Amino acid sequence: MKIVVLDAHGVNPGDITWDQLTSLGDVEIYEETADGANEQATIDRIGDCEIVVTCKNVLGRATFEQCKNIKMVAVLSTGYDVVDVNAAAEHGVKVCNVPTYATDAVAQFVFALILELCHRVELHSRSVHDGDWCNCGDFCYWLTPQVELAGKTLGIIGYGNIGQKVAEIGKALGMHILYNSPHAAGSVSLDELFAKSDVISLNCRLTDQNRDLINAASIAKMKDGVWLVNTARGPLVNEPDLVAALESGKVGAYATDVVTGEPISPNNPLLRAKNCFITPHIAWSTKECRERLVDVTAENVKAFLAGSPINVVN
């Protein structure tokens, strides 16, 4: 069985092994395949391979129309929006993801962002190293308002494994929890969540229905000064609308690990917005997570080869 890994470097820059996968067939591993959005480059690289492993390389309808040998796509992530799953199904191709590998790490990162907004630890550490405490007449000082989370309301959009873990941590910190999810008992409406939340965390997958979910109209329903945290997908947010809300103060802060168009464009308006904190899509990137990611991907391929595919999304 011919297997191709299109963009290995983003998952494994060299500190973990591919042995679990390479034992399953004739495997070609490429560090990257041109621009991930360049579908023709992806098609050329796939050639006559039967199993395609991708993280961020786009596999659209043209891929499945031109690469007739593909039988399975293994996505090195939980989200699978880079693959046209309907086109894959039409061509008899199974698409499998890795649903739970990053639950703990992403939930932890949600609170890394929230706690940064609360305390601005890096800013204060830099200030101390710059000599500000040495020259301070008092025993302490703070450069930003310090915020306590206990008693605040955390609204979680998306209540799968990650959303539930975020809720668990929020409760441990004394926060009141609201969540919106179409299939979860106890879910509240988006309007109620918007109106009552002091902090809103996006933990849902991206669909055609929720693209630009955070926009001028939905922001208008939120509390003044609300904090928004996004560790899901950039296109959930209409970035120009959000920048306007940051500038007006309607949104107090935006902390995000994802943006529309990655890597971020130098023209992205978020780069010039006030009270905007951006990290480079690293919530999932702990070594432990990446090892699990490769392990489960290998299990997905093994199960497919055995005729009993698992984690199928189409």
Side-chain angles (χ1 to χ4, degrees):
M1 186 67 68
K2 293 185 70 173
I3 303 170
V4 61
V5 181
L6 294 172
D7 47 354
H9 185 267
V11 171
N12 179 10
D15 58 343
I16 61 177
T17 179
W18 292 103
D19 288 353
Q20 311 93 309
L21 192 62
T22 56
S23 66
L24 300 177
D26 178 12
V27 182
E28 294 181 86
I29 297 176
Y30 297 98
E31 293 301 297
E32 57 186 27
T33 298
D35 176 0
N38 183 340
E39 191 172 0
Q40 188 55 54
T42 298
I43 290 167
D44 293 342
R45 181 61 55 80
I46 292 171
D48 62 352
C49 284
E50 296 153 294
I51 295 178
V52 179
V53 181
T54 184
C55 183
K56 294 302 177 186
N57 273 80
V58 173
L59 277 66
R61 181 169 294 276
T63 299
F64 300 104
E65 290 175 347
Q66 296 184 46
C67 299
K68 303 293 188 180
N69 280 8
I70 300 177
K71 295 179 174 63
M72 176 202 180
V73 174
V75 184
L76 285 160
S77 66
T78 300
Y80 46 88
D81 44 290
V82 296
V83 181
D84 186 332
V85 293
N86 294 324
E90 290 169 18
H91 287 79
V93 178
K94 298 292 186 186
V95 179
C96 303
N97 74 337
V98 184
T100 60
Y101 77 98
T103 298
D104 290 330
V106 175
Q108 174 180 301
F109 201 85
V110 168
F111 280 91
L113 294 174
I114 292 173
L115 291 169
E116 171 65 11
L117 298 181
C118 288
H119 300 297
R120 300 295 305 279
V121 170
E122 170 62 21
L123 175 69
H124 286 86
S125 176
R126 188 164 61 249
S127 171
V128 170
H129 281 89
D130 287 344
D132 295 342
W133 201 8
C134 298
N135 300 319
C136 178
D138 294 318
F139 77 96
C140 73
Y141 66 96
W142 50 92
L143 302 174
T144 60
Q146 300 294 287
V147 177
E148 189 172 288
L149 292 175
K152 301 286 194 301
T153 296
L154 172 62
I156 303 167
I157 299 177
Y159 205 59
N161 292 308
I162 294 173
Q164 291 174 46
K165 191 69 176 184
V166 169
E168 181 183 330
I169 298 171
K171 287 176 184 176
L173 291 170
M175 302 187 80
H176 305 301
I177 305 299
L178 297 175
Y179 54 88
N180 172 268
S181 181
H183 307 297
S187 173
V188 302
S189 69
L190 279 172
D191 282 355
E192 181 178 351
L193 186 147
F194 289 149
K196 293 182 177 179
S197 298
D198 300 294
V199 182
I200 295 174
S201 178
L202 300 178
N203 297 110
C204 55
R205 69 183 184 91
L206 177 66
T207 67
D208 290 338
Q209 289 70 43
N210 65 16
R211 189 177 296 271
D212 282 351
L213 174 67
I214 305 302
N215 56 37
S218 59
I219 291 170
K221 300 174 182 178
M222 299 176 190
K223 285 185 174 182
D224 291 347
V226 64
W227 290 352
L228 297 177
V229 178
N230 188 1
T231 55
R233 287 291 185 266
L236 292 167
V237 174
N238 182 303
E239 291 170 346
D241 285 1
L242 179 60
V243 169
L246 286 166
E247 295 303 318
S248 73
K250 174 65 179 179
V251 173
Y254 181 49
T256 186
D257 189 46
V258 289
V259 296
T260 299
E262 296 174 350
I264 194 168
S265 164
N267 298 319
N268 189 305
L270 293 174
L271 291 173
R272 290 166 291 282
K274 69 178 184 180
N275 298 325
C276 183
F277 301 79
I278 308 170
T279 51
H281 206 141
I282 57 172
W284 66 283
S285 67
T286 65
K287 185 178 182 183
E288 295 88 344
C289 268
R290 292 182 290 107
E291 287 174 335
R292 281 193 296 272
L293 183 59
V294 174
D295 287 345
V296 176
T297 297
E299 289 301 316
N300 285 346
V301 173
K302 187 183 300 183
F304 175 80
L305 293 175
S308 301
I310 57 175
N311 297 321
V312 178
V313 299
N314 68 337

